[in-house]
């Protein structure tokens, strides 16, 4: 199969080694023990939502798909692996395994939640049905890409909620984790709901609107501030947002107004001013007064400087007349919780006889005990509003919303918490959609603009108390009754036997 | 000039657009106003050390150099820029400017602190002397790359300090900001002092030792734990570190011991076990007892699971018999402070008459007022120990350690704090080294192993109270007396005139 040399997202073909060493040693293990081709089911999901919220906005799945489409081991990759040795200097990888890798291509099927979907803990974001070796080899890139972008998209959605209908610009590249990390962050921030980015590469790759003002260095490069403003305004008469805080902000606003008057004489309008330091509530108020008094009522005030959703709420609650929010560091680093703990767990695997065996990791911590089966989530809506989400096993039960008059949703971690949703007037939809079928990509090709719209539509589909930034209300999301019972049975049997498979009596895959 | 298609660090040629839009609009401004070629001096520095510490470990400069060597605008880049428009739909960039960019290559000279150097606030980490347009165009990538890697290297150095001589493995890729972000994080973590990485690509690119164990999925793929251990040990008899907490940790240790006995019969030794959940202090103690009783005194205990320098100190203070520390999420995301606020400030620029004018941004916040001049830092050592760092202006004063009998070091933000270092027995060295001269790379080519050694040597060269993880002692780092006075003069004159340049009476550059 021909694989493209470079993907749209800029990941290179030679990214096959961007993985944890143990994925390759385990793959060799599956290869050597004859288990490589056994059918397996893995789910990627997260356990705990970030930022004190209740949800995550799924993102990164398109980027992961781009990576997977080109995933193969080059001669250089294999030559490097051949040099690796363990204790005693013996080669870590066998010649026969490396020869196998040279021919290997991903053969599995993947279903995933479309980017921009709001997803709750334990719901499968990505479901992989693949030969065991194939499923293992994709784990690390899947987690690295989807964890990162989902985290940033989630943070962006919170900024979006705080900003209401105000414009939000993402300015974070200089504090992002390198240029590629910044590209991914800009992509995810846009999916999460910001309006534009300063990152020109992200604008090019993903058709995100590009925006910018100028820096302090522009002002410093000139002999004085007004001269600097005038030069910029003459160059960009219709696109000047003047940064007014290089020296003394109020004087900076007056200089901007003087330049605004010159622009008017030429038939142009001063687009805006930007505040980047000091007390933004106070200075925005002073700036607005000066601008209005001078007749520049349409000139917008852009604020930036370590803003996040909480500062934004605080400034808005103070009535600060800020029109546009430039959000950078706190957004692209997800500053207050910079990692999403998404995991990837084996949920079923064929045994030697080709019977699909469910699997679960059992742990003292209830939330770390995984969910066996081949899962999907049905989202229940009434009058366009989401009223409950139910994870079920697609192999051993029918869709909960098509079976009886009500769905009982049981909490994953606190089973005494459950919610009964009567099905009258309910429309249900499944969250997973096909991404790869038998190694061929079939989905994840939509535009980031469409993903962003899904986020905005999704946010509008939940009660605002669930999306609240501080101490949000809980949302009924959990397991179907059958799945809950099945998991309890397996847990008890597994703990007794120290083995966590029971034959699955369904043959459907 | 021939530019390579891809750098060692994996950044692509087409990364020219990985920048903030305003760098390009400002560049067009300098081009259109005839200021593009004016000589300028910029410094990259940080103001506030992360993690409650006193210092930063510089990193990322080699990666930035790789990027800069290939920095040019491709036809595709320029075609995209030609499509950008502002308010009213007018093109943002002129044809003449885009034609200029097509021919443009970086022409400047750069000096930088070698990677692995310990650096204090306000000290120039990177000094750029370049035509104004050139210096402006490199800002965003410089900041993105050096901020990120320096942050991670600093975090790693703290983990190194906490671990003492214990082995530290970096396991963070799955929670890193994407695959490229993870590659950079692994590079920086190694520079900061970890011993090895699980990231195979980082191992290949930077000759970092690669390490790994196996995952829970390996155990789950088999019918039971002991069978899984046995299979792994047979495949890697000399490299087995068995993950014992898939079901019940103590039983897992017993299963590992059983497999260790089988290995011994074959003349191999069980290398280690890994604990990834539960109470690590308690479980490590229990595991050690069981291993020792069974005669596996050489089998190491590896611990992982959301570890950072503080948890590591806590576990060590409890006497937990852990030999090897696997550190992931908290390291590669710099979890408790995920951004380093490095900035890039204009410090001098030629005026229309070609006189070098010093420049500074003035701000109510003293720490945000920049330092004008062409700066370097002299580090003073006595008996191999660092005793003080002095920033000075290389244009207007001689080296402080070669001028008189003592150096007076004045705090940047609190000038009443100053330290007098008598020069008897002192050896001084400058921190900056040449990286680019007139657009040609001349430095930053050393191995990451050499950079890592510089970090370890550097940590050994400071009093431990300065490196302490909690509430560290301060270190005498600040300005020379002459630079302090010069800055005060400029600040007063600048505030009076709302213009921040005074002619520099030196012609030397």
């Amino acid at each position: 199969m021909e694989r493209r040399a470079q993907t749209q997202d800029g990941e290179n073909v030679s990214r096959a080694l961007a993985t944890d060493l143990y994925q390759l040693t385990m793959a060799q293990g599956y290869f050597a023990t004859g288990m490589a081709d056994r059918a397996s089911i893995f789910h990627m999901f997260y356990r705990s939502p970030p930022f004190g919220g209740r949800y995550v906005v799924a993102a990164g799945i398109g980027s992961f798909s781009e990576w997977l489409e080109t995933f193969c081991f080059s001669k250089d990759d294999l030559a490097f692996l051949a040099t690796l040795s363990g204790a005693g200097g013996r080669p870590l990888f066998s010649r026969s395994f490396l020869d196998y890798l040279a021919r290997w291509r991903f053969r599995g099927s993947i279903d995933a939640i479309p980017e921009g979907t709001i997803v709750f803990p334990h719901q499968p974001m990505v479901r992989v049905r693949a030969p065991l070796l194939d499923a293992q080899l994709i784990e690390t890139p899947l987690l690295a890409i989807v964890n990162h972008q989902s985290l940033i998209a989630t943070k962006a959605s919170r900024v979006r909620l705080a900003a209401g209908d105000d414009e939000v610009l993402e300015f974070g590249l200089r504090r992002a984790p390198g240029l590629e990390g910044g590209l991914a962050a800009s992509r995810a921030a846009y999916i999460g709901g910001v309006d534009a980015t300063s990152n020109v590469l992200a604008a090019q790759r993903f058709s995100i609107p590009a925006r910018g003002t100028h820096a302090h260095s522009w002002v410093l490069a000139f002999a004085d501030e007004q001269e600097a403003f005038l030069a910029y305004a003459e160059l960009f008469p219709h696109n000047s947002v003047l940064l007014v805080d290089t020296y003394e902000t109020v004087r900076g606003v007056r200089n901007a107004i003087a330049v605004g008057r010159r622009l008017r004489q030429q038939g142009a309008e001063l687009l805006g001013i930007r505040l980047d330091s000091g007390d933004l509530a106070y200075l925005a108020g002073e700036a607005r007064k000066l601008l209005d008094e001078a007749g520049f009522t349409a000139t917008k005030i852009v604020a930036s400087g370590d803003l996040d959703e909480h500062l934004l709420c605080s400034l808005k609650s103070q009535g600060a007349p800020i029109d546009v929010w430039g959000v950078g560091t706190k957004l692209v680093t997800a500053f207050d919780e910079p990692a999403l703990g998404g995991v990837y767990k084996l949920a079923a695997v064929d045994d030697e006889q080709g019977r699909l065996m469910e699997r679960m990791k059992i742990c003292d911590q209830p939330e770390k005990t995984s969910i066996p089966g081949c899962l999907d989530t049905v989202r229940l809506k009434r009058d366009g509003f989401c009223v409950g989400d139910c994870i079920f096993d697609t192999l051993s039960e029918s869709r909960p919303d098509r079976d009886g008059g009500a769905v009982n949703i049981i909490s994953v971690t606190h089973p005494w918490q459950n919610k009964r949703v009567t099905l009258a007037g309910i429309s249900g939809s499944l969250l997973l959609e096909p991404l790869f079928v038998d190694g061929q990509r079939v989905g994840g090709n939509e535009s980031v603009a469409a993903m962003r719209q899904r986020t905005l539509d999704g946010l509008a589909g939940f009660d605002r108390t669930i999306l609240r930034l501080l101490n949000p209300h809980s949302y009924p999301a959990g397991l179907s009754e059958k799945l809950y019972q099945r998991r309890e049975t397996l847990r008890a049997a597994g703990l007794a036997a120290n083995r966590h498979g029971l034959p699955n009596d369904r043959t459907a895959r």
Side-chain angles (χ1 to χ4, degrees), chain A:
Chain A
M1 189 187 349
E2 187 67 28
R3 302 255 167 169
R4 278 177 294 145
Q6 191 180 337
T7 71
Q8 281 183 7
D9 291 13
E11 302 283 353
N12 294 311
V13 159
S14 63
R15 288 293 172 274
L17 298 186
T19 191
D20 291 302
L21 179 63
Y22 78 4
Q23 309 290 10
L24 295 166
T25 57
M26 285 191 285
Q28 173 163 297
Y30 298 136
F31 171 75
T33 55
M35 293 166 70
D37 294 344
R38 287 205 196 161
S40 68
I41 302 171
F42 282 77
H43 300 116
M44 188 228 158
F45 58 95
Y46 75 93
R47 298 177 183 125
S48 175
F51 317 124
R54 291 283 184 186
Y55 70 90
V56 155
V57 174
I61 290 152
S63 306
F64 166 72
S65 302
E66 300 267 351
W67 172 84
L68 182 53
E69 274 193 292
T70 64
F71 181 24
C72 63
F73 292 87
S74 71
K75 279 183 187 166
D76 282 356
D77 296 334
L78 298 168
F80 175 71
L81 294 178
T83 67
L84 291 178
S85 58
R90 296 166 191 84
L92 206 53
F93 296 105
S94 69
R95 193 66 256 163
S96 59
F97 175 62
L98 295 177
D99 289 345
Y100 173 84
L101 278 191
R103 297 184 307 273
W104 176 88
R105 298 292 184 279
F106 181 71
R107 299 164 287 176
S109 296
I110 302 181
D111 302 277
I113 286 184
E115 295 185 74
T117 304
I118 291 179
V119 55
F120 294 94
H122 301 282
Q123 295 177 349
M125 297 169 71
V126 179
R127 184 180 69 195
V128 177
R129 290 173 297 165
L132 188 55
L133 180 144
D134 299 47
Q136 193 74 63
L137 280 181
I138 67 175
E139 175 179 14
T140 302
L142 171 64
L143 289 176
I145 295 168
V146 176
N147 270 332
H148 176 236
Q149 289 198 35
S150 297
L151 180 76
I152 305 303
T154 307
K155 186 73 174 170
S157 77
R158 293 168 61 83
V159 173
R160 173 80 278 154
L161 288 169
D165 293 331
D166 292 352
E167 202 173 21
V168 178
L169 314 177
E170 178 268 307
F171 279 171
L173 181 54
R174 66 190 53 203
R175 303 285 161 74
L179 300 182
E180 297 281 350
L183 181 64
S186 294
R187 179 186 190 276
Y190 188 65
I191 292 171
V194 307
D195 294 290
T197 181
S198 68
N199 184 335
V200 185
L201 187 61
Q204 181 201 38
R205 290 288 171 83
F206 307 118
S207 302
I208 302 173
R211 293 282 295 278
T213 61
H214 66 75
H216 295 120
S217 57
W218 175 267
V219 175
L220 292 171
F222 287 77
D224 73 36
E225 191 177 54
Q226 195 171 138
E227 189 190 327
F229 286 173
L230 200 59
Y232 204 78
E234 280 174 359
L235 284 159
F236 303 103
H238 303 281
N239 293 293
S240 280
V241 177
L242 301 173
L243 176 61
V244 293
D245 72 336
T246 303
Y247 305 126
E248 201 275 303
T249 302
V250 173
R251 189 151 44 166
V253 177
R254 293 188 203 279
N255 282 331
I257 288 171
V259 170
R261 293 203 174 98
R262 293 278 288 269
L263 277 176
R264 278 205 178 152
Q265 292 166 3
Q266 302 161 33
E269 273 294 308
L270 179 60
L271 205 60
I273 62 161
R274 177 160 72 99
L275 306 169
D276 189 48
S277 62
D279 191 293
L280 294 177
Y282 171 76
L283 292 172
E286 293 298 300
R288 186 74 270 160
K289 252 188 282 177
L290 290 171
L291 287 166
D292 288 352
E293 284 166 13
F296 289 90
T297 53
T299 297
K300 291 190 170 171
I301 297 180
V302 183
S304 58
D306 281 342
L307 295 177
D308 66 4
E309 68 271 36
H310 301 295
L311 249 173
L312 228 141
C313 281
S314 165
L315 286 163
K316 284 177 82 83
S317 75
Q318 294 171 70
I322 293 165
D323 305 289
V324 181
W325 307 87
V327 184
T329 304
K330 297 279 167 79
L331 170 55
V332 301
T333 65
F335 197 85
D336 49 336
E337 193 165 340
L340 176 66
V343 295
Y344 181 74
K345 292 293 169 192
L346 180 66
V349 63
D350 270 3
D351 69 4
E352 284 172 21
Q353 286 76 43
R355 295 175 305 177
L356 189 67
M357 307 281 284
E358 293 167 295
R359 288 288 194 270
M360 62 193 285
K361 167 161 173 30
I362 294 183
C363 188
D364 295 344
Q365 297 158 272
E367 75 278 10
K368 282 201 168 181
T369 297
S370 61
I371 304 169
C374 181
L375 309 178
D376 200 348
T377 304
V378 61
R379 178 158 289 171
L380 306 171
K381 290 190 183 186
R382 180 177 282 131
D383 303 330
F385 258 74
C386 300
V387 294
D389 283 13
C390 187
I391 305 172
F392 69 106
D393 179 11
T394 60
L395 295 184
S396 66
E397 55 179 310
S398 53
R399 269 177 68 160
D401 59 329
R402 299 199 176 155
D403 185 16
V407 181
N408 204 18
I409 301 169
I410 302 175
S411 161
V412 176
T413 49
H414 304 99
W416 61 89
Q417 291 181 343
N418 61 79
K419 165 94 177 181
R420 189 178 163 82
V421 178
T422 54
L423 288 173
I426 288 285
S427 73
S429 56
L430 298 180
L431 294 190
L432 292 177
E433 293 187 1
L435 192 67
F436 280 78
V437 172
D438 297 335
Q440 297 302 310
R441 183 171 175 178
V442 298
N445 291 306
E446 63 189 345
S447 70
V448 294
M451 300 171 188
R452 177 176 179 275
Q453 192 55 50
R454 184 177 291 112
T455 304
L456 300 180
D457 294 344
L459 293 174
F462 286 90
D463 192 283
R464 286 300 290 251
T465 61
I466 293 160
L467 307 175
R468 196 168 49 207
L469 300 179
L470 284 173
N471 302 332
H473 190 48
S474 69
Y475 173 74
L479 307 178
S480 76
E481 191 134 2
K482 282 186 181 149
L483 181 57
Y484 170 74
Q485 294 298 348
R486 179 77 182 152
R487 184 171 178 239
E488 287 307 295
T489 304
L490 281 169
R491 190 209 301 260
L495 278 177
N498 194 17
R499 44 193 295 160
H500 294 270
L502 292 178
N504 190 313
D505 52 3
R506 306 286 166 134
T507 50
R509 305 271 166 84

